[in-house]
Amino acid sequence: MRAAGVAAAAGICVLAATAPPLRAQAFDSATAVARTRLWLPPLASLIAPGSGQLMTGRDRGLIYIAAEVFLLSRYLQLQHDGHHGSERYRELAFTVAQRGFATMRRDTVFEYYETLERFDASGVFDRNPTGAFTPEDDPNTYNGTVWLLAQRTFWPDPAHPPAPGTQPYIDAINFYRAKAIGPNYQWSWEGAPLEQEEYRTTIRASDNAFRNAQNQLGVLLANHLASAIDALISSRLSAGLHRPASLQTTYLGEQGAVVSLRIGF
């Protein structure tokens, strides 16, 4: 019996030596909880601006929420305006400028519609469809400017054309074929100056709306980051100083901004 008691006592001592102290375990657990609470508001604000501030009892979270609602609604409105304008100028291009050339609407890249804004007519693709391929030579049309650029790029002397079949002539023809507008996308604004002006106004407004919408996305992201950084700094200052702390930014327009730090005593 005496030997058994000694062995049991030795086992208890060994367990006591190898097991971590209960106080240390409690401290580690409390530290983990504190760290979780420290990072929770910033993460919440990063996902939903203002939520981290409201979680910690800071009313300025409402400012971030209001900014988010305004910026998001503005982005959606700009996207709507851009798509509405895009549909309108594409319809004008088909029903007015392409009338007589295209029997069905074919949408293509935005650069094509930009070209319709800058040139009154595309010009023909081949001036001699029943014989040797002959590019458009009217410099007032888009295809005519392409052919002029091809001559200046590949011909030694544009004033004296090289013989057909020579390499400079072939290179110029290949350039023209690759860049010129084909029969399915020809256009002309002749006799429709009012529709052409509406087209120009609409395509510019649509392009500006899409561009401003992209800028609005950047401001939305900035609002998320600002709210998250605000929540992080406020939480870490409060935890480090053991006093309530807040970081506030006041915008002064073109004069810049004032950042103020408040610590309770």
Side-chain angles (χ1 to χ4, degrees):
M1 294 294 294
R2 184 176 181 182
V6 172
I12 292 173
C13 292
V14 171
L15 290 174
T18 56
L22 295 178
R23 184 175 298 177
Q25 288 181 338
F27 177 79
D28 292 341
S29 178
T31 301
V33 171
R35 288 178 177 175
T36 301
R37 292 177 178 175
L38 183 65
W39 285 102
L40 187 58
L43 290 176
S45 286
L46 185 62
I47 298 172
S51 59
Q53 284 76 16
L54 296 180
M55 289 172 58
T56 54
R58 296 177 173 87
D59 293 340
R60 69 177 180 279
L62 296 175
I63 299 176
Y64 289 106
I65 294 176
E68 184 74 4
V69 172
F70 171 76
L71 294 171
L72 184 58
S73 63
R74 179 62 177 159
Y75 168 77
L76 294 176
Q77 182 62 49
L78 288 169
Q79 283 287 100
H80 174 268
D81 293 345
H83 285 294
H84 179 75
S86 175
E87 179 60 28
R88 177 56 182 161
Y89 73 69
R90 290 169 190 267
E91 186 65 21
L92 282 171
F94 172 66
T95 59
V96 180
Q98 294 180 329
R99 182 176 51 198
F101 299 109
T103 58
M104 61 178 295
R105 176 171 162 177
R106 297 181 177 89
D107 287 334
T108 182
V109 295
F110 179 69
E111 288 74 15
Y112 169 79
Y113 295 100
E114 282 186 313
T115 306
L116 266 75
E117 178 188 2
R118 295 185 290 110
F119 289 88
D120 293 339
S122 63
V124 298
F125 183 69
D126 182 5
R127 292 191 297 112
N128 186 24
T130 59
F133 183 78
T134 306
E136 173 66 76
D137 60 357
D138 183 356
N140 294 317
T141 65
Y142 173 76
N143 284 352
T145 61
V146 173
W147 179 234
L148 183 60
L149 177 61
Q151 296 175 51
R152 292 173 176 175
T153 302
F154 297 99
W155 292 1
D157 184 1
H160 299 85
T166 60
Q167 194 59 47
Y169 193 90
I170 294 175
D171 291 340
I173 289 291
N174 290 338
F175 179 89
Y176 176 84
R177 287 181 180 274
K179 303 294 183 181
I181 296 296
N184 292 331
Y185 290 95
Q186 287 182 232
W187 78 85
S188 174
W189 292 105
E190 184 179 1
L194 296 180
E195 290 85 348
Q196 183 180 16
E197 185 59 32
E198 181 185 356
Y199 178 87
R200 288 171 173 167
T201 302
T202 305
I203 193 173
R204 291 171 189 169
S206 175
D207 188 33
N208 288 335
F210 281 127
R211 186 181 298 109
N212 290 333
Q214 293 301 314
N215 295 337
Q216 206 72 15
L217 280 180
V219 180
L220 272 168
L221 177 59
N223 188 49
H224 283 248
L225 293 176
S227 180
I229 293 173
D230 178 6
L232 175 62
I233 293 177
S234 298
S235 298
R236 294 187 73 87
L237 286 174
S238 298
L241 299 174
H242 302 290
R243 293 184 176 90
S246 64
L247 185 71
Q248 293 183 336
T249 303
T250 304
Y251 294 97
L252 304 178
E254 296 181 355
Q255 300 177 359
V258 174
V259 180
S260 58
L261 174 64
R262 296 183 179 181
I263 304 174
F265 289 94

